[in-house]
């Protein structure tokens, strides 16, 4: 259903019909004048704590739920989604759907109208089979990494005039959105489109169901990881993992219409300009001061690269992060939270603009993701950009390379699930006090007798280390260190933030010996409270700090970023300049 259907008696927009009656606290279905003459007003009954409510008959134009369907967040799923492909995208930071879309699902989740609208929204989604890229889907008890991709593919009505309409598109806008394990904070890491990197080999699902192996490329622009040579979003996910050391759980990809439709649905996005702008390329023309942008104007704002800063893609990223922060603040504003019309409009705009992987391929799954995001305060969401330098191999500077000195600590913090914000200092101080008290106890775990290496029994899991770490470590222990009772158990059920050795009190001597061999610090030792049965093995889980057998573990993630790393909090309004 779209805006063009309004006014037709046979296609009534649910967003216009369900309104909140302040006298009763109920949502009421108010029909258009032409329909109201034939039908009485229908009131959505309120649910009783003791008995489930029975929904009234939906008006024409509101899809009737099928038997077995459940409202967003329920146990049952909907029908199969329409197939995806590499298509759909945005231009220059169209990553608004990470908050605009998921928050919209969250906001509509509790109303009867959302229940009736469920099938329709489900049918809007496009789903891509990413051929095993990523973890297979986010989990509620772990940190979450969602890759938000916008392409410069000119798909969608009204977008033919933006450059090459025949282009298959690139990964023109990419944000890796990291949600902390405890859901207290999040980091949005922008990856520059012109970054020179390596693209790995990518198995890619074809329309006929077969899988095609697409050869990787070395020393090429990051944006070639999507669209080019038939690459899909799974290739971009694999490229991000190789680049950052962070495995992606899911992806969301949006098209050109995402910014236009979402900014319109929310009633416009406030922006502030320190100077007047007249950019003929993006067609952005605004006076100095504050504006509320939606539709084509909003798209022009996030596309412009000649209006602000030094006219580079890096400065455009900053502008787009400011726009996204403003969009997020607008989503959480009272005006949006109390408007059923905006709820429905946002859900409609988001789902029509979205291509997702199978792990997010239903309203239920997207609502689950929204539930993981809903309690994060905007002041705890940090925007940052992967630090880069001008490509030293170029005389005319057109591309960039990673600035390892600044990028390494930033990526270590994200991998270590360390918040980039400082709003949790009180909580952190209390934690540090408790840690100081327990540090002596932890250090004491390394004090005491060591069992002979041949007595040690250990099962080894890979919980985030390099591929094949468990098997190579077992070979090393058995053949070089005299630990014959070591076993490779494969991948751990859940990933760990750092390498850890779990053991029982009566295995302490074995644990100390293995810690010496492996070079494990006291912080890696996790002793249980009860003794183990005879011949029970310890559990060694290799984390992202594990590099290779015999090498020291990578240093712990820093707790503070270098001053030169760009960052901005989502709760702060900043004027573009």
């Amino acid at each position: 259903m779209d805006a063009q259907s309004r006014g037709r008696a046979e296609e009534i927009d649910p967003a216009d019909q369900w309104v909140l009656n302040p006298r009763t606290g109920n949502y009421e279905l108010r029909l258009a004048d032409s329909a109201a003459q034939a039908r009485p007003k229908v009131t959505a009954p309120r649910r009783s704590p003791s008995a489930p409510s029975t929904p009234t008959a939906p008006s024409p134009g509101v899809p009737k739920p099928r038997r077995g369907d459940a409202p967003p967040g329920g146990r049952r799923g909907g029908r199969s989604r329409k197939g995806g492909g590499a298509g759909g995208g945005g231009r220059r930071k169209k990553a608004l759907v990470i908050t605009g879309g998921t928050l919209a699902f969250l906001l509509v989740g509790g109303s009867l109208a959302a229940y009736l609208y469920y099938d329709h929204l489900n049918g809007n989604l496009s789903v891509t089979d990413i051929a095993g890229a990523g973890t297979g889907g986010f989990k509620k008890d772990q940190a979450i990494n969602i890759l938000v991709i916008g392409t410069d593919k000119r798909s969608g009505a009204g977008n033919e005039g933006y450059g090459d309409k025949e282009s298959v598109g690139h990964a023109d806008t990419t944000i890796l959105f990291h949600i902390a394990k405890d859901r207290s904070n999040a980091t949005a890491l922008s990856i520059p489109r012109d970054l020179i990197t390596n693209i790995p080999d990518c198995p890619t699902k074809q329309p006929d169901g077969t899988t095609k192996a697409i050869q990787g490329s070395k020393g090429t622009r990051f944006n070639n990881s999507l669209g080019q040579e038939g690459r899909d979003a799974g290739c971009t996910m694999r490229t991000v993992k190789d680049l950052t050391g962070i495995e992606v759980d899911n992806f969301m990809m949006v098209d050109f219409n995402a910014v236009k439709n979402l900014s319109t649905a929310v009633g416009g996005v406030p922006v502030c300009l320190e100077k007047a702008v007249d950019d003929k390329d993006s067609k952005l023309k605004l006076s100095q001061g504050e504006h509320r942008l939606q539709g084509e104007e909003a798209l022009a704002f996030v596309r412009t690269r000649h209006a602000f800063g030094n006219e580079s893609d890096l400065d455009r990223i900053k502008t787009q992060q400011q726009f996204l922060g403003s969009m997020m603040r607008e989503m959480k504003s009272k005006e949006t939270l109390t408007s059923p019309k905006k709820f429905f409009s946002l859900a409609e705009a988001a789902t029509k603009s979205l291509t997702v992987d199978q792990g997010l391929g239903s309203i239920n799954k997207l609502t689950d993701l929204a539930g993981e995001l809903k309690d994060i305060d905007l002041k705890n969401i940090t925007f940052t950009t992967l630090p880069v330098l001008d490509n030293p191999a170029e005389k005319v500077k057109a591309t960039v390379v990673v600035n390892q000195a600044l990028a390494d600590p930033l990526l270590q913090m994200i991998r270590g699930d360390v918040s980039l914000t400082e709003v949790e200092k009180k909580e952190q101080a209390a934690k540090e006090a408790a840690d100081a008290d327990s540090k002596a106890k932890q250090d004491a775990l390394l004090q005491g007798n060591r069992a002979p290496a041949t007595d040690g029994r250990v099962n080894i899991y890979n919980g985030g280390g390099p591929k094949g770490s468990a098997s190579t470590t077992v070979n090393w222990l058995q053949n070089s260190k005299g630990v014959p009772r070591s076993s490779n158990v494969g991948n751990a059920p859940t990933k760990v933030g750092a390498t850890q050795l779990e053991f029982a009190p009566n295995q302490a001597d074995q644990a100390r010996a293995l810690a010496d061999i492996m070079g494990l610090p006291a912080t890696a030792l996790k002793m249980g409270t009860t003794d183990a049965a005879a011949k029970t093995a310890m559990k060694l889980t290799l984390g992202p700090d594990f590099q290779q057998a015999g090498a020291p573990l990578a240093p712990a993630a820093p707790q503070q970023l270098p001053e030169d790393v760009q960052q901005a909090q989502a709760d702060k309004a900043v004027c573009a300049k």
Side-chain angles (χ1 to χ4, degrees):
M1 187 179 301
D2 55 30
Q4 294 177 347
S5 68
R6 295 188 181 187
R8 301 177 187 173
E10 69 278 10
E11 294 187 37
I12 300 174
D13 188 343
D16 289 329
Q17 307 311 311
W18 289 98
V19 296
L20 182 67
N21 186 331
R23 294 176 299 172
T24 65
N26 291 336
Y27 283 103
E28 296 181 355
L29 182 63
R30 296 186 176 176
L31 306 177
D33 291 342
S34 60
Q37 294 175 4
R39 304 174 183 85
K41 181 176 72 176
V42 181
T43 301
R46 304 180 75 173
R47 294 195 176 195
S48 167
S50 59
S53 62
T54 302
T56 56
S59 67
V62 183
K64 182 178 180 180
R66 300 177 298 118
R67 182 180 299 275
D69 279 351
R75 292 180 179 270
R76 301 188 182 184
R79 62 192 173 202
S80 60
R81 317 297 164 242
K82 59 187 179 181
R91 173 89 168 170
R92 314 297 191 236
K93 295 300 182 222
K94 303 310 169 308
L96 306 180
V97 77
I98 189 62
T99 51
T102 55
L103 185 57
F105 297 127
L106 176 67
L107 295 177
V108 302
S111 70
L112 175 62
Y115 177 85
L116 300 175
Y117 211 24
Y118 172 78
D119 250 359
H120 176 67
L121 293 179
N122 244 358
N124 283 346
L125 291 171
S126 294
V127 182
T128 295
D129 186 337
I130 52 177
T135 65
F138 75 90
K139 296 176 178 61
K140 292 182 178 295
D141 58 346
Q142 297 184 30
I144 299 173
N145 295 301
I146 305 292
L147 194 65
V148 183
I149 308 170
T151 85
D152 54 3
K153 183 177 181 180
R154 274 70 176 170
S155 60
N159 298 319
E160 300 83 357
Y162 298 124
D164 181 8
K165 66 179 180 180
E166 303 300 328
S167 172
V168 294
H170 304 76
D172 204 53
T173 290
T174 306
I175 293 181
L176 179 60
F177 200 77
H178 172 85
I179 301 104
K181 180 177 180 179
D182 65 4
R183 308 298 186 255
S184 67
N185 64 86
T187 299
L189 176 71
S190 296
I191 301 176
R193 64 186 298 275
D194 295 323
L195 174 69
I196 296 299
T197 190
N198 296 328
I199 299 173
D201 295 342
C202 299
T204 306
K205 283 287 186 179
Q206 303 301 299
D208 61 2
T210 61
T211 300
K212 178 182 178 182
I214 299 179
Q215 187 175 0
S217 301
K218 294 185 179 298
T220 187
R221 277 180 165 89
F222 173 82
N223 68 348
N224 288 327
S225 65
L226 178 71
Q228 308 306 299
E229 301 181 34
R231 297 186 179 105
D232 65 5
C235 291
T236 308
M237 294 170 70
R238 290 182 169 91
T239 303
V240 168
K241 179 184 177 182
D242 283 4
L243 177 64
T244 65
I246 301 168
E247 191 165 29
V248 182
D249 296 304
N250 302 96
F251 87 88
M252 293 179 170
M253 187 160 59
V254 292
D255 60 23
F256 257 32
N257 289 321
V259 172
K260 294 191 288 187
N261 294 342
L262 286 171
S263 60
T264 300
V266 80
V269 176
V271 300
C272 173
L273 279 66
E274 288 195 359
K275 62 179 182 180
V277 170
D278 188 0
D279 179 11
K280 293 180 175 57
D281 288 342
S282 67
K283 301 180 177 60
L284 180 67
K285 186 173 183 179
L286 296 171
S287 60
Q288 179 185 13
E290 297 181 355
H291 300 268
R292 182 173 285 269
L293 305 183
Q294 59 182 296
E296 293 289 347
E297 251 189 344
L299 180 60
F301 183 84
V302 298
R303 288 184 62 241
T304 182
R305 66 181 304 162
H306 302 300
F308 307 114
N310 62 6
E311 302 186 10
S312 70
D313 186 57
L314 298 179
D315 277 314
R316 175 168 45 193
I317 287 174
K318 294 178 184 178
T319 301
Q320 293 156 348
Q321 290 174 349
Q322 293 163 12
F323 185 88
L324 180 53
S326 183
M327 167 74 86
M328 294 165 71
R329 293 192 296 274
E330 198 66 19
M331 294 286 182
K332 286 208 168 188
S333 69
K334 181 179 179 181
E335 289 74 14
T336 300
L337 293 174
T338 57
S339 171
K341 178 178 175 62
K342 286 186 178 180
F343 293 175
F344 284 101
S345 297
L346 283 168
E348 188 77 12
T351 53
K352 281 186 175 180
S353 303
L354 264 179
T355 298
V356 296
D357 61 274
Q358 291 171 311
L360 289 178
S362 72
I363 301 301
N364 275 347
K365 293 174 181 177
L366 286 167
T367 305
D368 285 344
L369 176 60
E372 300 299 311
L373 300 174
K374 67 182 178 66
D375 293 328
I376 302 178
D377 196 304
L378 292 180
K379 65 185 179 182
N380 291 346
I381 299 177
T382 303
F383 294 102
T384 188
T385 304
L386 185 69
V388 293
L389 299 167
D390 286 335
N391 189 347
E394 296 176 336
K395 291 183 179 180
V396 178
K397 303 303 180 184
T399 62
V400 293
V401 296
V402 174
N403 181 343
Q404 295 294 162
L406 297 181
D408 286 349
L410 170 60
L411 294 176
Q412 286 177 23
M413 291 181 73
I414 297 175
R415 290 193 296 264
D417 202 26
V418 177
S419 174
L420 302 191
T421 66
E422 298 185 8
V423 297
E424 299 171 320
K425 282 188 172 179
K426 290 183 180 180
E427 293 86 347
Q428 184 65 25
K431 182 177 182 298
E432 289 175 355
D435 288 348
D437 183 53
S438 64
K439 186 177 185 301
K441 296 178 181 179
Q442 191 71 33
D443 289 342
L445 293 176
L446 287 176
Q447 306 302 317
N449 297 326
R450 268 72 171 163
T454 53
D455 291 351
R457 296 177 182 271
V458 59
N459 290 334
I460 301 177
Y461 297 79
N462 190 345
K467 186 177 181 179
S469 295
S471 61
T472 57
T473 299
V474 166
N475 290 336
W476 179 74
L477 287 173
Q478 291 181 348
N479 300 321
S480 300
K481 296 300 176 180
V483 187
R485 296 172 178 175
S486 53
S487 302
N488 170 21
V489 191
N491 291 330
T494 59
K495 294 186 180 298
V496 294
T499 297
Q500 61 185 32
L501 174 62
E502 299 172 77
F503 59 96
N506 61 338
Q507 296 172 320
D509 291 0
Q510 295 180 37
R512 295 186 193 104
L514 185 62
D516 291 345
I517 294 171
M518 294 288 299
L520 301 179
T523 53
L525 273 58
K526 311 294 181 185
M527 187 171 71
T529 57
T530 58
D531 286 346
K535 298 184 179 180
T536 299
M538 299 180 292
K539 180 180 178 181
L540 175 63
T541 306
L542 306 176
D545 56 346
F546 180 83
Q547 301 176 67
Q548 64 180 25
L553 297 181
Q559 299 300 303
Q560 190 169 354
L561 279 179
E563 292 183 0
D564 293 337
V565 175
Q566 174 263 334
Q567 58 179 308
Q569 271 62 56
D571 66 320
K572 294 181 173 63
V574 180
C575 290
K577 57 183 178 180

